Amino acid sequence: MNINFTLISQAVSFAIFIWFTARFVWPPLMKAVEERQKKIADGLAAADQGQQQLAQSQSRAQEVLHGAKQQSQELVANAQKRADEMIEQARATAKVEGERQIASAHATIAQEIQQARETLRGQVAALALAGAEQVLMREVDAEKHREVLEKLGARL
Amino acid sequence: MATGHELTPTGYIQHHLTFNAQAGETPFWTWHMDTIVTSVILGVLTFGFLAWVVSGATAGVPGKRQAFVELLIEFVNDQAKSIFHGDLRFIAPLALTVFVWVFFMNAMDFLPIDIMALFYKNALGLEYWRSVPTADVNTTFALALTVWFLMIFFAIKVKGVRGFIHELFCAPFGGNPLLWPFNFMFNLVEYVSKPLSHSLRLYGNIYAGEIIFMLLGLWAATGVAGTIFGGILSAGWAIFHILIVGLQAFIFMMLTIVYIAMAHEGH
């Protein structure tokens, strides 16, 4: 163990190496490392955000889909209802029309019966009159015997 | 082996332990050329490598080389951060410098001593050349004393001259004037023992490792079988020595951080 000037020169070179490391090695590399750390942190944050957004839009899509489904169901239901209504209406209209026609036919028939009866009545009256004429051999004043004839006609 | 002297075990070991000394006017002005040149070359190579890698550093995807250097720096940074809670801009690069430089100076121990001695003598014409700078107590003292001065510098910078002197006399036992001498003695012992233990721990471990390589090298004197046996033992010791080299560099770095962190803390 002999301490000598070597010690001082070693200390000087040590100091120079410390200065060199602190000046040229440490800061640039630390800067690069810190920059990368920041980049990674940013990337992770961005990924997180992306995931969140994805989840959000997924739920939005689900919502929209659900709405569309509901709407279409509503539409179908409405159409069904409407069709039912239309059928019902048509049925009702047809029924009314049919009844109306039946009624009118009945009326016509009744009218015709009435007419035929009237005609028949008239003819019977005329026939009766003619017969009475024949029997009495004289002119019966139709005007004078209208009352009798009508009574007779009504009895027919 | 590559000695010009008579081949005795003592001569062999002494030869390997002789510094390439550049004598000065007085013994103090002697330079150990081997220690200085080897450590400076190692420092230039390692820190040059680091600076080269860093100059091409990217914040994007790092290459393998950059990833390796980042691993190293992150490791040192984590250690410094776990001990020292403050501005790391000086202390962390200091720790990195200590760790890397001491590691490579220690690692010179892996070079086979006799082959290196042959190489130094025949290729470079150097009779005496010790490869391991940290097996020279001057190196370890230089490192420890530099750290010691930094420690005092930071203590004064953080606490002021008054605070520093106050702490010298009033800590750890208390501010009673009767206790001042005890406090001062206590602090004196602490301030002396810190650089001593710091430097001698590293020196002792590496020096001992070197000696064991030499002792195992002596097996070569017993013939071929002994040479092979010694070679196997040397390989085993070298493998174990990997642990010591790394561990001592790590301990030296940790103590550096601890001492400077302690200088920042007030009592």
Side-chain angles (χ1 to χ4, degrees):
Chain A
M1 259 179 54
N2 31 6
I3 306 288
N4 54 35
F5 195 60
T6 312
L7 193 156
I8 289 160
S9 51
Q10 289 290 78
V12 169
S13 39
F14 182 43
I16 292 171
F17 286 136
I18 293 173
W19 168 79
F20 183 83
T21 313
R23 174 90 181 69
F24 296 108
V25 174
W26 195 269
L29 199 76
M30 254 352 220
K31 214 183 107 204
V33 168
E34 270 157 19
E35 234 168 87
R36 177 159 347 106
Q37 277 171 340
K38 199 179 159 291
K39 255 190 208 172
I40 291 171
D42 286 355
L44 285 177
D48 248 17
Q49 211 178 5
Q51 216 143 27
Q52 229 165 20
Q53 271 176 352
L54 182 70
Q56 254 174 8
S57 43
Q58 243 162 3
S59 75
R60 271 264 319 267
Q62 206 71 39
E63 242 168 67
V64 168
L65 205 69
H66 191 71
K69 230 181 223 172
Q70 229 167 13
Q71 215 164 7
S72 71
Q73 265 171 357
E74 233 165 76
L75 274 173
V76 168
N78 273 355
Q80 195 86 39
K81 210 167 113 188
R82 188 75 198 286
D84 283 353
E85 261 174 21
M86 272 165 82
I87 290 171
E88 205 54 46
Q89 209 171 9
R91 193 174 284 158
T93 314
K95 202 171 165 189
V96 167
E97 178 70 10
E99 270 164 10
R100 196 183 61 78
Q101 276 181 1
I102 290 169
S104 108
H106 274 304
T108 312
I109 290 166
Q111 204 178 6
E112 266 168 20
I113 289 172
Q114 192 66 28
Q115 215 168 3
R117 199 173 272 169
E118 287 297 315
T119 315
L120 214 60
R121 197 176 279 156
Q123 277 174 354
V124 168
L127 206 63
L129 210 59
E133 238 174 34
Q134 293 259 312
V135 172
L136 296 176
M137 281 304 199
R138 60 172 177 122
E139 194 73 36
V140 179
D141 188 355
E143 228 19 70
K144 273 186 183 165
H145 299 284
R146 174 178 296 270
E147 204 180 335
V148 178
L149 284 173
E150 268 180 10
K151 261 186 198 159
L152 198 66
R155 239 196 292 154
L156 281 168
Chain B
M1 301 230 106
T3 46
H5 312 292
E6 198 186 348
L7 269 174
T8 63
T10 318
Y12 170 77
I13 288 177
Q14 253 169 5
H15 175 262
H16 275 303
L17 287 181
T18 307
F19 286 107
N20 184 312
Q22 184 93 30
E25 288 165 27
T26 61
F28 176 74
W29 291 103
T30 308
W31 277 13
H32 292 164
M33 291 311 290
D34 38 12
T35 300
I36 294 168
V37 170
T38 312
S39 62
V40 168
I41 288 175
L42 284 173
V44 168
L45 284 179
T46 49
F47 297 113
F49 172 77
L50 289 180
W52 172 62
V53 172
V54 164
S55 70
T58 161
V61 180
K64 288 193 174 62
R65 210 163 41 223
Q66 192 192 332
F68 172 72
V69 173
E70 275 177 18
L71 211 65
L72 177 71
I73 287 197
E74 287 280 325
F75 164 72
V76 174
N77 198 35
D78 286 347
Q79 299 298 338
K81 214 188 286 175
S82 68
I83 295 171
F84 180 62
H85 311 285
D87 187 6
L88 288 171
R89 271 177 310 176
F90 178 76
I91 196 167
L94 168 69
L96 177 73
T97 314
V98 167
F99 180 64
V100 172
W101 201 31
V102 169
F103 181 84
F104 279 101
M105 289 196 288
N106 290 351
M108 289 300 284
D109 228 355
F110 295 134
L111 296 175
I113 45 172
D114 289 318
I115 294 175
M116 289 315 287
L118 271 180
F119 168 75
Y120 292 135
K121 183 167 187 196
N122 298 323
L124 305 175
L126 300 162
E127 175 71 38
Y128 298 107
W129 194 270
R130 290 184 61 177
S131 310
V132 191
T134 37
D136 181 351
V137 79
N138 286 299
T139 306
T140 59
F141 264 131
L143 293 169
L145 284 176
T146 310
V147 172
W148 189 73
F149 278 118
L150 284 171
M151 190 170 87
I152 290 175
F153 168 76
F154 278 114
I156 292 175
K157 192 183 158 198
V158 171
K159 299 158 194 160
V161 179
R162 275 180 60 110
F164 178 69
I165 291 171
H166 176 266
E167 205 161 84
L168 267 183
F169 286 95
C170 297
F173 299 123
N176 193 319
L178 279 174
L179 292 171
W180 282 4
F182 299 105
N183 284 328
F184 184 67
M185 283 302 293
F186 192 87
N187 281 313
L188 207 64
V189 169
E190 201 177 319
Y191 271 111
V192 170
S193 66
K194 267 180 186 169
L196 271 178
S197 68
H198 197 194
S199 60
L200 290 180
R201 176 182 298 107
L202 176 63
Y203 167 73
N205 274 283
I206 303 305
Y207 184 77
E210 212 187 9
I211 293 282
I212 286 177
F213 277 120
M214 287 170 202
L215 293 175
L216 294 173
L218 283 175
W219 276 94
T222 61
V224 178
T227 309
I228 293 169
F229 185 58
I232 292 168
L233 286 181
S234 285
W237 176 242
I239 291 166
F240 180 63
H241 208 55
I242 294 172
L243 183 71
I244 297 176
V245 162
L247 196 64
Q248 287 304 319
F250 177 70
I251 290 171
F252 204 90
M253 174 190 86
M254 291 307 268
L255 283 176
T256 301
I257 301 170
V258 167
Y259 286 164
I260 293 189
M262 277 166 78
H264 282 73
E265 286 161 10
H267 285 282

